[in-house]
Amino acid sequence: METHMRFRSRNIFWVLFLTLTKSSSSTTFGVSEYEDWESVDIADSILSYRNEVGDMEEKEWQMVQTKGNQFVVNDQPFYVNGFNTYWLMVFAADESTRGKVTEVFKRASSVGMSVCRTWAFNDGQWHALQKSPSDYDENVFKALDFVVSEANKYKIRLILSLVNNWEAYGGKAQYVKWGNAAGLNLTSDDDFFSHHTLRSYYKAHVKTVLNRVNTFTNITYKEDPTIFAWELMNEPRCNSDSSGDGLQDWIKEMAFYVKSIDPKHLVEIGLEGFYGPSTPQRYQLNPNSFAQQVGTDFIRNHQVLGVDFASVHIYPDSWISQSIADSHLPFIKSWMEAHIEDAEKYLRMPVLFAEFGVSAKAPGYNSSYRDNLINTVYKTILNSTKKGGSGAGSLVWQLFPDGTDYMDDGYAIVLSKSPSTSSIISLQSTRLALFNSLCSKKCRWGCKKRNVLEKVSYHDEL
């Protein structure tokens, strides 16, 4: 057993205990707010959660699954508070920066984060994983092995994305370059979705990654419960086909292909959440008119067989206006609520808000605004969670360790330098852990403990 995991379980227990036993004058919820509870129920719930964490340390993890509109582990709800750090594999490939991978997992674990989304691709670039179609750098693959192994040590699950829509780390543009180098006459990066040769390149990569045997753990990726889900592509768009038919066909083929190799893990697409031609009545919810022209369709795409949960991203400072505006926070709330409603009514699956954040480079930015934005996302998740809804969690973009400022795209959160943000993240983790422990799937949100959840108020100020 790892020493840091023993400390983590103890810390979570005491955070839960202190959170529940604050005085009524506190801005957080206190015991006095729940005078109709039996105190023994509260204590039992906390102790039960502590024991569950301890049990998880002692036995093998189980795969994350879906049941209705929830993520579940061992038939118990698993609501997510997590983060993105896309560059973990590249940092692990260099001995001088490998320690930063451990550091980011350690920091995330200290505030209770349970899921990390990162890249399982780097195509034809510096420290490339895939140097050319089906030609891999073993040292970089071992770096990805290290990332998976290290995540397991800190009990953090991984969403592994398999290719990029954008040119960073190669993406679909690199696949087109490879195709042209092989004698194909390709004229658009969107040929990635339609040309059979490029589809075969992508499928070969999928097969290689899913069948990889980790050199640190000796566990095949497709058998490893450390992996939360496979993501088909980061933010797929097919601007050349606004009907959405081309991307829809690609999603159908690739979701089926991933499941044919690995039926145990969850699969998601990687969408930003824009509404498309199948739901024109929802166009008004899109952040701008361009969003309905990029070939994606939130409802239609997520109805594909083999897709297990929905993904949505949230970037008002990119989509609406670069300057911070009063309209941004209301947009976030309505954007999230619309997708949660659709996931419940039409998709009948969980929805994960897999990227959200604000750039420090945006005019009008300050750290208080970032905290308000994060709070808005977290409160909307909790409003769904306490009803057993489809709002299954969120992943902030993005968490950085100390000393990596040169990689900052403006969105980096360094917890040691951001105490107020760190407190907000930690509190959300604590509350979701409490939800997960108080209402197991067996009680189906109908037991008396549900009243506990419904009375948990979320404070706006920490």
Side-chain angles (χ1 to χ4, degrees):
M1 184 190 298
E2 292 291 327
T3 302
H4 63 261
M5 283 308 303
R6 293 200 299 271
F7 286 140
R8 184 185 177 200
S9 64
R10 292 169 185 163
N11 288 342
I12 291 175
F13 165 68
W14 285 113
V15 169
L16 284 167
F17 179 79
L18 291 172
T19 302
L20 281 171
T21 56
K22 281 184 179 291
S23 68
S24 60
S25 62
S26 170
T27 54
T28 58
F29 55 96
V31 170
S32 62
E33 296 181 51
Y34 310 110
E35 293 176 352
D36 57 331
W37 298 2
E38 294 290 339
S39 59
V40 66
D41 287 343
I42 301 170
D44 286 349
S45 296
I46 299 173
L47 291 170
S48 174
Y49 179 70
R50 182 185 66 171
N51 292 334
E52 287 162 11
V53 173
D55 290 344
M56 185 173 64
E57 296 169 20
E58 298 294 340
K59 64 184 181 183
E60 291 185 6
W61 270 5
Q62 299 297 312
M63 297 281 188
V64 179
Q65 299 175 318
T66 60
K67 183 170 289 188
N69 61 357
Q70 292 179 321
F71 295 126
V72 295
V73 177
N74 291 328
D75 208 35
Q76 186 167 333
F78 182 70
Y79 288 101
V80 172
N81 191 30
F83 64 101
N84 289 268
T85 305
Y86 68 89
W87 41 255
L88 294 175
M89 179 180 67
V90 169
F91 265 50
D94 190 325
E95 289 290 345
S96 67
T97 55
R98 177 170 287 192
K100 295 298 180 183
V101 175
T102 302
E103 185 178 340
V104 76
F105 285 141
K106 184 176 181 179
R107 291 283 188 183
S109 177
S110 74
V111 292
M113 288 180 148
S114 58
V115 175
C116 171
R117 177 171 169 265
T118 193
W119 296 171
F121 62 82
N122 188 17
D123 302 310
Q125 309 290 301
W126 177 69
H127 276 335
L129 173 62
Q130 190 175 198
K131 297 180 289 185
S132 60
S134 297
D135 180 18
Y136 292 87
D137 186 322
E138 179 60 18
N139 288 331
V140 180
F141 233 142
K142 288 180 178 178
L144 184 58
D145 294 342
F146 176 80
V147 171
V148 176
S149 172
E150 205 70 357
N152 179 275
K153 288 180 182 178
Y154 287 90
K155 296 305 173 191
I156 292 175
R157 299 179 190 263
L158 298 175
I159 296 176
L160 295 181
S161 189
L162 295 165
V163 72
N164 206 355
N165 180 70
W166 313 107
E167 290 190 15
Y169 284 59
K172 65 184 182 184
Q174 182 61 58
Y175 278 77
V176 170
K177 290 176 184 177
W178 285 335
N180 282 329
L184 305 179
N185 184 25
L186 306 174
T187 58
S188 168
D189 288 348
D190 287 345
D191 289 334
F192 170 85
F193 298 112
S194 58
H195 200 283
H196 64 90
T197 297
L198 301 192
R199 287 191 180 197
S200 70
Y201 289 168
Y202 173 81
K203 290 166 79 171
H205 175 62
V206 168
K207 184 177 181 180
T208 300
V209 173
L210 272 56
N211 286 312
R212 170 76 177 182
V213 177
N214 192 308
T215 55
F216 289 84
T217 65
N218 204 36
I219 300 173
T220 305
Y221 281 25
K222 66 183 180 182
E223 302 290 340
D224 193 343
T226 308
I227 297 170
F228 181 102
W230 302 110
E231 178 176 279
L232 298 183
M233 187 179 209
N234 174 50
E235 300 185 333
R237 294 184 183 184
C238 188
N239 294 352
S240 63
D241 180 11
S242 61
S243 74
D245 292 343
L247 182 58
Q248 181 78 356
D249 186 64
W250 184 86
I251 293 169
K252 287 180 179 179
E253 180 174 339
M254 299 313 166
F256 178 83
Y257 186 73
V258 172
K259 286 291 190 180
S260 72
I261 298 173
D262 179 5
K264 296 181 180 180
H265 280 103
L266 303 179
V267 171
E268 54 108 351
I269 302 167
L271 291 175
E272 297 159 280
F274 302 138
Y275 290 101
S278 74
T279 52
Q281 71 277 14
R282 300 298 252 175
Y283 282 164
Q284 60 183 338
L285 295 167
N286 282 337
N288 53 57
S289 59
F290 179 69
Q292 66 203 48
Q293 303 171 28
V294 298
T296 66
D297 192 320
F298 176 74
I299 299 293
R300 183 188 183 200
N301 294 157
H302 283 114
Q303 289 174 330
V304 168
L305 183 66
V307 174
D308 296 297
F309 66 94
S311 65
V312 178
H313 296 181
I314 312 171
Y315 288 114
D317 61 327
S318 294
W319 297 343
I320 299 175
S321 64
Q322 289 187 344
S323 298
I324 302 302
D326 292 340
S327 60
H328 287 187
L329 297 184
F331 164 77
I332 290 172
K333 187 173 184 292
S334 62
W335 181 247
M336 293 181 68
E337 289 175 344
H339 287 84
I340 290 170
E341 179 184 1
D342 290 336
E344 291 170 356
K345 288 185 176 180
Y346 306 113
L347 301 177
R348 295 177 177 83
M349 61 173 53
V351 56
L352 183 67
F353 296 90
E355 288 189 27
F356 74 95
V358 59
S359 174
K361 300 175 183 178
Y365 169 87
N366 58 62
S367 60
S368 294
Y369 174 78
R370 181 176 71 184
D371 287 349
N372 285 336
L373 184 148
I374 294 172
N375 256 330
T376 299
V377 172
Y378 285 174
K379 287 170 68 174
T380 308
I381 292 293
L382 285 175
N383 286 338
S384 174
T385 301
K386 67 185 181 182
K387 297 181 290 187
S390 284
S394 61
L395 311 175
V396 69
W397 183 279
Q398 58 180 323
L399 210 62
F400 271 43
D402 292 301
T404 52
D405 295 354
Y406 61 94
M407 290 287 289
D408 186 6
D409 59 356
Y411 291 84
I413 297 173
V414 181
L415 294 176
S416 63
K417 298 179 180 179
S418 309
S420 63
T421 307
S422 179
S423 295
I424 292 169
I425 292 171
S426 182
L427 185 58
Q428 180 75 354
S429 297
T430 300
R431 283 178 167 148
L432 290 182
L434 189 58
F435 278 104
N436 290 343
S437 66
L438 285 174
C439 248
S440 72
K441 192 67 181 178
K442 292 179 182 178
C443 76
R444 299 187 184 278
W445 300 92
C447 66
K448 65 180 180 179
K449 291 180 180 179
R450 181 176 180 178
N451 294 328
V452 174
L453 306 180
E454 291 175 341
K455 293 181 181 181
V456 172
S457 61
Y458 194 101
H459 68 277
D460 291 318
E461 297 179 12
L462 293 171

